[in-house]
Amino acid sequence: MKPRRIILMGLRRSGKSSIQKVVFYKMPPNETLFLESTARLTQEHISSFIDFSVWDFPGQVDVFDAAFDFESIFIQVGALIFVIDAQDDYLDALARLHVTVARVVAINPNICIEVFIHKVDGLSDEFKIDTQRDIQQRTQDELADIGLENVPISFHLTSIFDHSIFEAFSRVIQKLIPQLPTLENLLNIFCANSLVEKAYVFDVLSKIYIATDSSPVDVQSYEICSDFIDVILDIGSIYGGARENHSERHPDALDETSSIIRLSNDLVLVLREMNQYLALVCIIRADNFKKSGLIEYNVQCLQAAIQSLFSAKS
Amino acid sequence: MSKSSFSSKPAITYSKVAATYSSRTQKPIFDYQDWALQTQGSVNSLSPSPDFTKFAIAGRELLEILALNPNPTRTPIRIKNFSSGNTHEKNTSCNDVKWGNTFSENYLFTCSPLGDLNVWDIDSSQNISKFTDHSRAIHSIDISKFHSSYVLTASQDGLTKLWDFREPHSAQTFRGNSEAARDVAFSPSEINEFVVAYDNGTVQKWDLRYSKSPSLKLSAHNGVALCIDYTPNGSLLASCGRDKSIRIWDISNNQRKAFSTINTIAPVNLVRWEPSEANNATCRLASSSLVGDDTINLWDVPRPYIPHRSLNHHENNVTALQWISPNVLLSSSRDGVLSQSRPNDAISYIDLMPSSAVSWSTNGLIAFSSNSKKSFNSRPQVHRTPSRESNISSLKTALHAKQEPHLSKQNSGNFSELSSSQDNIQLSTASLFHNTCHQFVQLAKSYQLAGEISTACQQNAKLACHFGAYEAQAMWDFLFFSSLSPSHREHFLSMDDYEFSLSDENHSISTKNKSEKSQHSSAESEALSDDFFESLLSSSSLSSSILSVDYEDNLDKAVSQSLNQRTELGTSTNSRKDGIPSFQGGRNSISSLHFFDSVASNVSAHSQYDMPNSLHQGSITSASNKSRDYGTSLGSLSNRTSIFHEQFSFGAEEQPPTDLMDVVTSSIVQCIDESDVQTGASVYLLFSAFPINIPRPQLDDLIDSYVGLLRRMGMFCEASYVVKHSSQVVKYKYSANRDLSFGYRSNSKAFTKNVYSKLERCCFCELPLNGIITSCHGCGHLGHESCLRDWFFNESAEEGLLCPVPGCGQVCLG
């Protein structure tokens, strides 16, 4: 089982702290402008349904300095996220990336290396893809030169001003969840049998999706679902009852939070809390929502399955 | 996997819901549709048999074979239903279906969202084998054309597996390291080649014999790459993805850059090339979208901006596309409607677009393109589509109507006719205002904008006449007269006695002469006015000779015409601009224009002549054309003097000349009204020392736009000069950006040649200018950016501030 520690690395001012603040602390993206540069290593423990910790390495700290015990750090890391500022000259960042990859892979060959080509919001579509191609090509060539052709590196174009950073994080975290194939199959069956267009299992706190069915994720549906969660959380915090006893409840107790929104374009959004941290959000066409009782039944089956899936593993 | 306990129960209950759908035919709504069929549940995929007589459809709890009716307009008949009898088996849910070929012709291959690959015997309707090596959903399968037992599967687990369906396990595994594999396709031309599209947007080309790494890796899309398809001859590959684009790749030459990109309005989930009879013909591409857009678009690759045909008969997202033959397309949508259509009869937005365009350049060139390509339709066009021919013809008439007035005004403009050929696209340029442009450039270079006012006016009037700017010439003439000292005017006043006799004679002549003759003479007078002010200073000494002048017919004519001309030039400028050759009578038009005060008095005098309006028209419109021919042939000194004398005796007789400043103000106002930036700005610059009764910002705008025009024409020196002599505001504006402005010079020589002809060389290295060129704001000299940088930054302190042009002496960097 992979350790669920995530390390954020990158040159200084590449946006690591901003990513962390936006994804895990709901900071509005434009406020990240005022973040001060991180002076020392910060370690955040994200208490969500899976426990993962994000280590934010300040860009100016050399991880491979003798002062750090990098071997013991990286042996426990599940994913290394390397952030590259796409609006800046990225050659320095690439050089740093190549060194880092070489060192890290030697320590921990199973680590997932994810490159976030960050701050792409200012770039045109054509330029984005060119930048990605260039970075990918250089990395591939460079690593081939040092004999690491087959190190799996994933590249993501991200920006904190839209949902791309959430999607990229989702994909990273999904790689750290061993139950993902099962979860995905459950969702596939659920979607097929309930005529659901698209179903996501969200981590409510971070709006990262833990799993989805295997049909392609389109940006619109993801955005509307994550906005849906925001709406529910906001309304819940205004009108909902106190939730202090939430964490003290029996972990197997089913949560009753649910919401249904019928949109004007004949789509129905259904949200159903799966457990303390997870919520199922699915999009159904209004035509297929006529037998809502059946869908409700299917959701309950899915909920039970997810509960048993995670309780058995843990 | 803990799915079994959960999944079976809802599957049973929900299948009842699905069963309420019945397989029924729908009436085709669109006339390009052959038939439409409502199937049970949603069709995820369809695959034709190798002989294209049957096809298989697959979806949730659906796997059927339908036989196409020999009559294409009849609905197909269901001949096999694999899911009957084993409805509740999970593996009947299919993501993709492929019909085998040659040796495997009798088999159907399906894949399920649970990661199973199933092989079905078509004759017995039995599932003969099931492969479960993939741990996650299989999205796509493909059968090799060459080894008919080879099957490739692309799965959510990121692996692509090669199977020989006679063997129990997969033969090869290709690990793309790029998240989930969405689509896989064998090359139709290379035996061992196949291509996989991945969730992270890459498209990878693999060799069957080498499973370690792909032979080509393309960063194709931003976000998920959803579908790939080879052209029938295998030379090109189309890929599409969530980033709303379709990219065409020259896959056979291992090009890493897309050969062409088609941007659409919605994420694209399917692309399919149309088969073509000719093997090498570049064919059309059908695409459909994942969400949001229910239309099927056909794209002509050379024209990526607008779909060639659009089929919008589906009311839900399209889930499968398959060409049966050229111009026969099978499609299915998520609501279970299956349909066959003939795209060539569908609506074509290209035909609805205006196919011609017109554009102007700053140099007075007009460019237009027209496309008279025949419609692609072989069948009668859909009735709601307006024909292209009507568009073209209406545009043509519009073009002609617009341009004829210009043509009549300026004979020298060489305007190439719109071609009437119906088969080719053509781009033509016509130079309508070449002369105007030339005139502008020349005048900008030679106008005298400082110095003694009356001589400058005189000089400018001469220049204006020389270059054919008669309106400007009239303006300068009046300014010249207005700027004369009172003693000169007094002198002319003393010559009143000749005036009446003159006017009488004029009157009689003008009424009896033919209009043609008057035109000639007016042209002469026009040319004369070029020089006649030169004689002004000597006029007093020559006054005696005036008395002895023998008034020839045409000279008298010239006198009267020169007067009329003068008073009406204001209107003629207007008419030139509008292209309406009609004067509503000299008097009205002049007074409405608020020409000069002195003009108003002239009008009253002018009315004595009782000149027919038609005469004015003819003379004015022809004057500009003919003046050059007649200009130099006529005119003795004495004649000129007499004309001059007469001219001003009118003004002096009825009303004393108005104050110079009023004249200047009104002339600038008139220039502004007529958008004659050059004359207005020049007048203003010459008289800038005087208090002009026009709001400051208006004047600054005038200068500003003149500077802008000069810069556009590449006359940086002149522009700098104007700025230097203008108000503080303008100076501040242009001096505020102290840094040198860099600009790329375009390579379109046809348009810039005449403008840049004088500026072709760098002021520093004397080499022809290309690449980055810049000019300094101080003196406006042009040069290579690198040369100027060398000069300004490497020279010693004192020298480095000076302009590099010898003798310029301008301190460029203050």
Side-chain angles (χ1 to χ4, degrees):
Chain A
M1 187 174 150
K2 284 185 180 177
R4 289 175 190 153
R5 180 176 295 166
I6 294 175
I7 284 193
L8 276 171
M9 283 179 78
L11 293 189
R12 55 190 296 272
R13 305 196 57 76
S14 57
K16 300 177 293 297
S17 300
S18 302
I19 291 176
Q20 200 186 342
K21 294 285 183 211
V22 168
V23 174
F24 296 109
Y25 296 96
K26 299 207 180 306
M27 179 183 270
N30 34 14
E31 279 180 23
T32 59
L33 207 62
F34 308 111
L35 280 180
E36 295 195 3
S37 86
T38 314
R40 54 201 186 83
L41 183 97
T42 53
Q43 183 181 357
E44 306 279 346
H45 190 77
I46 311 296
S47 59
S48 182
F49 105 103
I50 46 162
D51 296 328
F52 53 90
S53 45
V54 176
W55 290 34
D56 186 358
F57 271 96
Q60 55 272 38
V61 172
D62 186 4
V63 191
F64 303 107
D65 199 293
F68 280 99
D69 185 8
F70 53 83
E71 235 172 271
S72 66
I73 293 174
F74 281 104
I75 201 78
Q76 300 170 40
V77 167
L80 168 72
I81 297 177
F82 196 91
V83 184
I84 292 177
D85 183 352
Q87 293 189 10
D88 203 1
D89 183 22
Y90 49 73
L91 290 179
D92 285 351
L94 281 181
R96 181 79 178 265
L97 169 68
H98 302 148
V99 173
T100 310
V101 168
R103 301 292 294 269
V104 167
V105 168
I107 297 165
N108 183 358
N110 293 324
I111 197 166
C112 301
I113 298 167
E114 311 283 330
V115 177
F116 283 12
I117 302 167
H118 196 49
K119 304 188 193 175
V120 293
D121 41 90
L123 308 180
S124 72
D125 284 348
E126 207 54 41
F127 199 74
K128 274 184 208 172
I129 204 88
D130 280 348
T131 308
Q132 186 184 2
R133 181 180 301 131
D134 190 41
I135 290 179
Q136 221 161 324
Q137 192 59 44
R138 283 168 189 273
T139 309
Q140 192 183 328
D141 294 349
E142 199 68 35
L143 292 181
D145 285 352
I146 52 175
L148 293 169
E149 281 117 333
N150 286 322
V151 175
I153 300 183
S154 308
F155 294 86
H156 308 265
L157 292 166
T158 57
S159 160
I160 52 171
F161 292 96
D162 55 26
H163 290 84
S164 59
I165 187 67
F166 291 96
E167 201 190 345
F169 244 99
S170 301
R171 287 173 182 272
V172 172
I173 285 171
Q174 281 174 28
K175 288 184 184 169
L176 304 182
I177 302 174
Q179 299 96 330
L180 181 71
T182 317
L183 202 53
E184 192 175 83
N185 280 343
L186 283 173
L187 286 169
N188 278 343
I189 297 164
F190 169 72
C191 283
N193 289 324
S194 311
L195 296 183
V196 168
E197 302 277 309
K198 188 75 189 155
Y200 295 94
V201 175
F202 272 96
D203 176 37
V204 175
L205 280 179
S206 59
K207 290 195 291 172
I208 287 171
Y209 64 89
I210 302 298
T212 178
D213 61 306
S214 59
S215 67
V217 177
D218 65 299
V219 182
Q220 283 169 312
S221 72
Y222 172 71
E223 286 181 355
I224 200 163
C225 289
S226 74
D227 289 349
F228 186 28
I229 289 179
D230 270 349
V231 169
I232 299 304
L233 284 183
D234 290 351
I235 291 180
S237 66
I238 296 170
Y239 300 105
R243 289 167 69 106
E244 297 89 51
N245 57 350
H246 202 103
S247 53
E248 294 157 18
R249 285 191 327 194
H250 191 263
D252 285 342
L254 295 187
D255 204 294
E256 293 301 317
T257 307
S258 69
S259 167
I260 295 170
I261 295 182
R262 192 179 289 262
L263 302 175
S264 61
N265 61 350
D266 276 351
L267 287 178
V268 178
L269 293 174
V270 177
L271 179 141
R272 175 81 190 205
E273 201 159 358
M274 289 280 117
N275 65 20
Q276 193 180 345
Y277 302 110
L278 297 183
L280 171 80
V281 184
C282 46
I283 303 173
I284 310 174
R285 279 181 192 271
D287 300 343
N288 301 331
F289 197 64
K290 284 169 187 150
K291 302 213 168 182
S292 56
L294 272 177
I295 291 172
E296 176 65 26
Y297 177 75
N298 285 351
V299 171
Q300 281 176 13
C301 290
L302 180 68
Q303 187 175 13
I306 291 177
Q307 295 266 346
S308 62
L309 176 66
F310 285 109
S311 61
K313 286 286 174 186
S314 58
Chain B
M1 289 190 193
S2 59
K3 66 204 167 201
S4 54
S5 62
F6 151 72
S7 58
S8 58
K9 278 179 276 176
I12 295 165
T13 45
Y14 214 85
S15 66
K16 287 173 189 161
V17 184
T20 56
Y21 289 107
S22 61
S23 175
R24 61 180 185 274
T25 57
Q26 286 192 328
K27 207 166 167 57
I29 319 154
F30 296 92
D31 46 6
Y32 57 80
Q33 250 181 312
D34 284 331
W35 46 262
L37 191 69
Q38 173 74 53
T39 59
Q40 294 180 336
S42 159
V43 177
N44 286 337
S45 175
L46 50 87
S47 175
S49 66
D51 57 359
F52 291 101
T53 56
K54 299 186 277 288
F55 64 96
I57 56 172
R60 197 187 71 89
E61 294 178 11
L62 178 78
L63 182 59
E64 292 178 355
I65 293 178
L66 298 131
L68 285 166
N69 204 305
N71 179 352
T73 56
R74 301 283 297 275
T75 50
I77 303 144
R78 183 165 72 181
I79 54 171
K80 277 250 153 65
N81 186 356
F82 291 85
S83 51
S84 68
N86 49 6
T87 335
H88 306 314
E89 215 174 294
K90 293 192 300 292
N91 57 19
T92 53
S93 181
C94 299
N95 269 354
D96 196 9
V97 62
K98 279 277 152 46
W99 201 303
N101 55 42
T102 55
F103 300 117
S104 56
E105 205 173 350
N106 241 352
Y107 300 104
L108 272 185
F109 301 84
T110 65
C111 60
S112 79
L114 301 181
D116 306 331
L117 169 67
N118 294 295
V119 185
W120 304 79
D121 189 321
I122 289 173
D123 295 330
S124 64
S125 302
Q126 288 302 309
N127 185 348
I128 57 162
S129 42
K130 178 169 178 173
F131 305 98
T132 53
D133 284 14
H134 282 295
S135 61
R136 293 164 76 178
I138 300 175
H139 293 298
S140 172
I141 46 183
D142 201 21
I143 320 290
S144 170
K145 261 189 180 176
F146 304 99
H147 311 281
S148 57
S149 60
Y150 279 14
V151 184
L152 275 173
T153 52
S155 164
Q156 177 79 18
D157 56 18
L159 307 178
T160 308
K161 284 180 188 283
L162 173 73
W163 314 77
D164 186 327
F165 74 94
R166 300 164 297 194
E167 306 279 330
H169 289 288
S170 73
Q172 294 259 38
T173 300
F174 304 91
R175 188 179 291 274
N177 286 333
S178 306
E179 302 176 24
R182 280 284 161 192
D183 198 7
V184 62
F186 270 109
S187 165
S189 56
E190 301 289 325
I191 295 180
N192 289 311
E193 186 186 304
F194 69 96
V195 170
V196 190
Y198 290 95
D199 249 14
N200 68 352
T202 56
V203 170
Q204 300 180 3
K205 184 167 91 170
W206 291 81
D207 193 296
L208 283 178
R209 298 160 296 187
Y210 188 68
S211 62
K212 288 215 171 70
S213 66
S215 57
L216 180 67
K217 208 170 176 178
L218 306 166
S219 322
H221 294 277
N222 177 14
V224 185
L226 288 170
C227 184
I228 43 178
D229 195 36
Y230 273 104
T231 48
N233 63 6
S235 62
L236 296 179
L237 180 83
S239 72
C240 65
R242 206 181 65 183
D243 60 353
K244 304 180 183 178
S245 70
I246 302 167
R247 285 171 210 268
I248 321 287
W249 307 87
D250 189 356
I251 194 81
S252 53
N253 292 331
N254 288 355
Q255 292 287 324
R256 282 226 172 82
K257 276 264 195 182
F259 167 77
S260 173
T261 302
I262 298 169
N263 287 308
T264 65
I265 57 167
V268 190
N269 68 340
L270 287 167
V271 278
R272 291 283 179 261
W273 292 97
E274 183 181 17
S276 58
E277 287 95 348
N279 211 22
N280 286 322
T282 314
C283 35
R284 292 181 298 177
L285 187 68
S287 78
S288 67
S289 69
L290 182 67
V291 282
D293 185 20
D294 302 335
T295 56
I296 301 167
N297 288 320
L298 258 73
W299 302 90
D300 214 1
V301 176
R303 187 185 276 119
Y305 303 107
I306 186 165
H308 180 230
R309 300 279 165 189
S310 290
L311 315 178
N312 43 13
H313 53 279
H314 283 296
E315 285 162 355
N316 209 319
N317 298 130
V318 176
T319 52
L321 282 176
Q322 184 64 53
W323 292 93
I324 296 295
S325 62
N327 199 26
V328 180
L329 181 68
L330 280 180
S331 59
S332 70
S333 60
R334 200 172 277 179
D335 53 6
V337 176
L338 195 66
S339 166
Q340 179 181 314
S341 48
R342 296 176 317 264
N344 281 1
D345 302 332
I347 189 166
S348 163
Y349 289 109
I350 290 174
D351 282 348
L352 299 177
M353 298 294 286
S355 54
S356 304
V358 181
S359 177
W360 299 85
S361 83
T362 53
N363 302 337
L365 292 167
I366 179 171
F368 58 89
S369 78
S370 63
N371 175 13
S372 322
K373 205 164 155 188
K374 279 238 169 82
S375 171
F376 287 92
N377 275 355
S378 51
R379 299 165 70 105
Q381 207 151 17
V382 183
H383 54 270
R384 59 183 150 173
T385 312
S387 86
R388 170 185 284 140
E389 276 70 26
S390 70
N391 274 346
I392 294 279
S393 58
S394 66
L395 197 105
K396 261 185 196 165
T397 49
L399 263 178
H400 278 292
K402 225 177 173 179
Q403 280 156 3
E404 263 153 16
H406 295 310
L407 289 174
S408 66
K409 279 183 302 176
Q410 295 230 284
N411 286 349
S412 47
N414 54 341
F415 175 70
S416 66
E417 275 290 308
L418 263 169
S419 161
S420 56
S421 87
Q422 293 289 312
D423 296 314
N424 53 351
I425 306 171
Q426 56 157 286
L427 175 71
S428 316
T429 59
S431 160
L432 285 176
F433 299 105
H434 184 74
N435 278 2
T436 322
C437 177
H438 174 75
Q439 180 186 310
F440 180 88
V441 173
Q442 293 301 325
L443 286 178
K445 283 185 180 164
S446 45
Y447 264 156
Q448 194 178 339
L449 300 179
E452 210 266 303
I453 283 170
S454 56
T455 48
C457 286
Q458 192 181 1
Q459 175 71 18
N460 290 345
K462 246 164 81 178
L463 288 166
C465 179
H466 180 71
F467 292 113
Y470 302 107
E471 303 88 346
Q473 182 209 351
M475 190 87 66
W476 289 115
D477 282 349
F478 266 104
L479 287 168
F480 167 61
F481 174 67
S482 311
S483 66
L484 284 177
S485 62
S487 63
H488 278 100
R489 297 182 192 174
E490 285 300 320
H491 175 75
F492 296 122
L493 281 173
S494 66
M495 295 193 232
D496 276 352
D497 28 341
Y498 304 110
E499 195 256 315
F500 288 108
S501 61
L502 250 173
S503 67
D504 285 344
E505 257 198 274
N506 272 334
H507 185 254
S508 58
I509 290 161
S510 62
T511 44
K512 81 182 176 215
N513 271 8
K514 296 269 189 275
S515 64
E516 190 193 331
K517 200 167 182 184
S518 75
Q519 282 175 17
H520 283 223
S521 54
S522 74
E524 287 151 15
S525 79
E526 190 57 55
L528 287 176
S529 60
D530 177 359
D531 293 323
F532 74 81
F533 287 113
E534 278 183 351
S535 63
L536 179 79
L537 295 175
S538 57
S539 62
S540 52
S541 61
L542 291 167
S543 58
S544 57
S545 69
I546 299 169
L547 296 169
S548 64
V549 165
D550 180 22
Y551 287 113
E552 299 169 11
D553 271 5
N554 60 354
L555 181 60
D556 291 331
K557 202 56 229 168
V559 171
S560 70
Q561 282 298 333
S562 78
L563 258 181
N564 298 330
Q565 181 96 29
R566 218 138 297 246
T567 51
E568 278 167 9
L569 276 166
T571 53
S572 75
T573 24
N574 260 354
S575 70
R576 267 157 204 264
K577 291 218 168 71
D578 300 338
I580 306 163
S582 70
F583 296 159
Q584 304 92 346
R587 187 173 203 158
N588 291 341
S589 51
I590 290 163
S591 55
S592 69
L593 269 168
H594 304 292
F595 205 46
F596 310 138
D597 290 349
S598 56
V599 172
S601 67
N602 265 344
V603 172
S604 57
H606 154 69
S607 62
Q608 295 169 8
Y609 292 124
D610 196 21
M611 294 282 281
N613 281 339
S614 58
L615 199 63
H616 299 243
Q617 273 185 33
S619 63
I620 305 270
T621 48
S622 64
S624 56
N625 297 333
K626 301 196 173 164
S627 59
R628 295 220 170 154
D629 307 332
Y630 295 88
T632 50
S633 63
L634 266 185
S636 69
L637 188 61
S638 57
N639 292 348
R640 292 181 206 154
T641 332
S642 69
I643 296 161
F644 181 67
H645 159 69
E646 214 230 12
Q647 163 91 25
F648 292 108
S649 59
F650 275 118
E653 175 202 32
E654 299 196 355
Q655 194 181 329
T658 47
D659 184 47
L660 176 61
M661 273 315 93
D662 288 344
V663 175
V664 172
T665 304
S666 57
S667 34
I668 293 177
V669 166
Q670 195 201 358
C671 287
I672 291 172
D673 285 348
E674 291 174 2
S675 333
D676 186 355
V677 174
Q678 187 174 39
T679 316
S682 306
V683 169
Y684 166 64
L685 285 172
L686 185 57
F687 291 88
S688 54
F690 293 80
I692 295 168
N693 190 20
I694 296 176
R696 195 81 225 167
Q698 211 175 346
L699 287 174
D700 287 339
D701 275 355
L702 181 72
I703 296 296
D704 197 18
S705 46
Y706 186 47
V707 172
L709 271 175
L710 287 172
R711 286 171 164 234
R712 268 164 81 179
M713 295 291 195
M715 290 180 284
F716 297 100
C717 299
E718 286 76 10
S720 302
Y721 182 84
V722 170
V723 171
K724 205 190 286 179
H725 289 81
S726 60
S727 73
Q728 287 300 324
V729 179
V730 179
K731 260 186 211 157
Y732 180 75
K733 181 183 166 185
Y734 284 97
S735 65
N737 40 358
R738 267 282 171 202
D739 53 335
L740 304 178
S741 65
F742 301 108
Y744 284 99
R745 237 191 84 191
S746 73
N747 281 328
S748 56
K749 294 189 181 79
F751 289 99
T752 52
K753 203 171 180 181
N754 46 11
V755 173
Y756 282 98
S757 58
K758 285 276 171 65
L759 305 162
E760 290 287 353
R761 287 171 190 284
C762 170
C763 68
F764 185 74
C765 63
E766 295 278 313
L767 293 173
L769 284 172
N770 57 11
I772 301 178
I773 61 170
T774 184
S775 73
C776 79
H777 281 279
C779 55
H781 284 112
L782 276 177
H784 292 115
E785 179 265 336
S786 54
C787 294
L788 289 184
R789 189 202 293 267
D790 284 349
W791 172 264
F792 286 121
F793 296 127
N794 293 345
E795 289 295 311
S796 61
E798 299 98 49
E799 279 181 12
L801 300 177
L802 294 175
C803 178
V805 176
C808 174
Q810 171 75 35
V811 180
C812 292
L813 294 179

